[in-house]
Amino acid sequence: MKTIILGAGYAGLAVATKLKPHPDLDVTLVEQNPYHTFETRLHEAAAHNTKVTVPLAPLLRGTGVKLDLAIIAEVNLDTKEVKTKDGPTYKYDNLIVGLGSVTNFYRIPGLAENAAELKELKDADQIFGYVNRTFDAGFVGNRDIVVGGAGLTGVELVTELAQRNESLSKARGIAPFKIYLVEAGPAILPVIDTALRAKAAKVLSDYGIEILTGHRLMQATPDSVTVQTADGNQRVIPAGKIIWTGGIQARDIVKAQNLKKGPGGRIVVDKELRIPEYPEVFVVGDMGLALNEQDKPVPTTAQHAGQQGRLTGDNIMRLVRGEALHPYVPNTLGEFISLGGLMAVGWMKLPWNQKLAITGGLAHVMKRASEWRWRASIE
């Protein structure tokens, strides 16, 4: 059974590391980088150059999975072909698509051309380099940073940048730059409750971050953004660096005549995470529109991507043994948001669908614990 796994993000890598050698199973993992990136820690790499990758080859030992480094150009489900850029074309019996998401710029004029992203290691490297340059004695121009989007990524990024800003300012005797967090919605961090949100907002304010909720980003230029408030007033904010974390959409790389997509371009899948019209194709992670028990879309988070990947890996083994596949049952264990250093806020799931809110150092430990569990699951 020729099986191809596309992508070594949280979902794809979870699939690969759940597999075991089998005489009837021939598996290849196709990924453009020789490493896995802990995307949930990219904000730390952007501010502090923290190591957030791990080599793939050691993780695949004992799985029977071969690693091919290539950039996926197109996936055609009707011809069962995966085409790569300047590389081979793969045929398959079963396909697992885990190619993740791309930034959604919502067609805001100038945003895609002038804003940095935080999706890959190179994005974090670029932001880290900019922050360091702003504290060079010969730096000329505006040093301020505007971050668009006050979800998890945006909030975690501005807090780490604020810490780095303060550290470099003290070390080099240069005034800190200004950080703006722009959010079109009425509040930051809509995924957590009001009390935790207020705690997070206070931490951001204490860092000196200017929080602009209810401000829609209307336009971006190389050195400014224009925002509009609910009452229609507009404001131009000069900036040396613009970073957009305000939305994602599924990677548009899978082509098929009978393919169905939902919000954000996510591909509709069944209870086993397969495309109903193409049951030999599994879609895991951000690209798949998996539903929970209330028929609501499962969030595009690392914990759910990992769950989908582990289930799919197990189901591939069941498939090759001729056993029935198991359905996907999502389980949201909690959500923790880093606020720099040893500070975090979030909640964890308790029995009977209760939630326990946690702040401070304990929340930081819980967030780290979720990352340790992920590493343990793939090693």
Side-chain angles (χ1 to χ4, degrees):
M1 190 171 75
K2 181 63 178 177
T3 301
I4 304 293
I5 304 171
L6 303 182
Y10 287 99
L13 184 58
V15 175
T17 53
K18 289 295 286 185
L19 299 179
K20 299 297 180 185
H22 190 283
D24 296 327
L25 189 59
D26 178 11
V27 186
T28 301
L29 170 62
V30 185
E31 161 63 37
Q32 66 179 354
N33 299 308
Y35 53 82
H36 167 72
T37 301
F38 300 104
E39 290 187 28
T40 57
R41 298 188 64 189
L42 278 173
H43 58 282
E44 296 178 38
H48 310 293
N49 203 28
T50 305
K51 184 178 182 295
V52 294
T53 62
V54 60
L56 287 172
L59 300 177
L60 298 178
R61 290 177 189 148
T63 65
V65 177
K66 298 183 293 291
L67 174 64
D68 281 3
L69 297 179
I71 298 175
I72 307 300
E74 182 180 283
V75 181
N76 190 317
L77 305 188
D78 295 317
T79 62
K80 288 190 174 183
E81 289 183 329
V82 176
K83 296 180 180 179
T84 63
K85 182 180 179 182
D86 303 323
T89 294
Y90 297 90
K91 301 286 287 188
Y92 61 84
D93 298 310
N94 285 283
L95 178 69
I96 299 100
V97 182
L99 293 172
S101 57
V102 295
T103 300
N104 189 344
F105 293 99
Y106 299 103
R107 300 182 181 178
I108 298 171
L111 190 59
E113 296 81 4
N114 296 301
E117 309 171 51
L118 190 58
K119 292 289 291 177
E120 301 179 24
L121 184 61
K122 64 179 178 62
D123 301 326
D125 289 343
Q126 195 241 24
I127 294 169
F128 179 76
Y130 171 80
V131 170
N132 281 349
R133 287 196 306 275
T134 65
F135 284 94
D136 288 343
F139 185 88
V140 177
N142 192 304
R143 302 163 61 233
D144 298 343
I145 295 178
V146 172
V147 175
L152 272 67
T153 302
V155 168
E156 290 187 327
L157 176 60
V158 293
T159 54
E160 296 292 346
L161 289 177
Q163 284 206 329
R164 179 68 173 166
N165 190 21
E166 181 180 352
S167 174
L168 287 174
S169 176
K170 290 180 179 177
R172 303 189 185 180
I174 297 175
F177 51 74
K178 184 73 177 177
I179 302 173
Y180 300 88
L181 181 62
V182 177
E183 168 59 43
I188 66 171
L189 297 172
V191 297
I192 59 177
D193 65 29
T194 303
L196 290 175
R197 196 179 302 135
K199 177 68 174 179
K202 183 181 185 306
V203 172
L204 267 62
S205 296
D206 290 344
Y207 278 130
I209 297 164
E210 184 168 341
I211 304 172
L212 300 175
T213 52
H215 285 65
R216 184 177 300 277
L217 203 153
M218 304 298 293
Q219 180 180 345
T221 70
D223 55 9
S224 72
V225 297
T226 300
V227 297
Q228 179 174 290
T229 60
D231 57 11
N233 291 327
Q234 292 195 352
R235 172 185 176 187
V236 176
I237 305 175
K241 172 67 69 177
I242 304 163
I243 307 169
W244 179 249
T245 67
I248 60 171
Q249 58 188 0
R251 196 177 295 274
D252 184 20
I253 202 169
V254 177
K255 309 299 179 185
Q257 185 175 352
N258 299 314
L259 196 64
K260 295 178 181 177
K261 296 185 177 182
R266 298 167 72 183
I267 298 171
V268 175
V269 295
D270 63 16
K271 291 295 185 181
E272 289 79 33
L273 304 176
R274 299 179 296 180
I275 302 175
E277 296 79 10
Y278 303 89
E280 71 279 6
V281 181
F282 297 79
V283 185
V284 291
D286 291 358
M287 288 188 68
L289 186 60
L291 302 178
N292 61 21
E293 293 173 328
Q294 290 76 42
D295 288 332
K296 301 293 185 182
V298 173
T300 53
T301 66
Q303 66 172 305
H304 294 106
Q307 290 172 15
Q308 292 170 27
R310 288 188 288 274
L311 171 74
T312 301
D314 287 339
N315 274 341
I316 292 295
M317 297 307 300
R318 294 184 183 102
L319 201 60
V320 77
R321 294 192 298 259
E323 301 170 0
L325 304 189
H326 288 188
Y328 172 55
V329 181
N331 182 21
T332 303
L333 301 175
E335 194 70 70
F336 290 92
I337 300 96
S338 171
L339 298 176
L342 301 179
M343 173 60 68
V345 298
W347 61 273
M348 64 179 293
K349 183 179 180 181
L350 296 176
W352 302 289
N353 289 324
Q354 297 298 306
K355 295 180 179 180
L356 175 63
I358 306 174
T359 63
L362 181 56
H364 170 79
V365 170
M366 295 301 297
K367 181 173 176 64
R368 282 290 184 259
S370 67
E371 294 163 359
W372 297 330
R373 283 196 302 271
W374 165 247
R375 290 196 68 132
S377 74
I378 60 174
E379 293 178 343

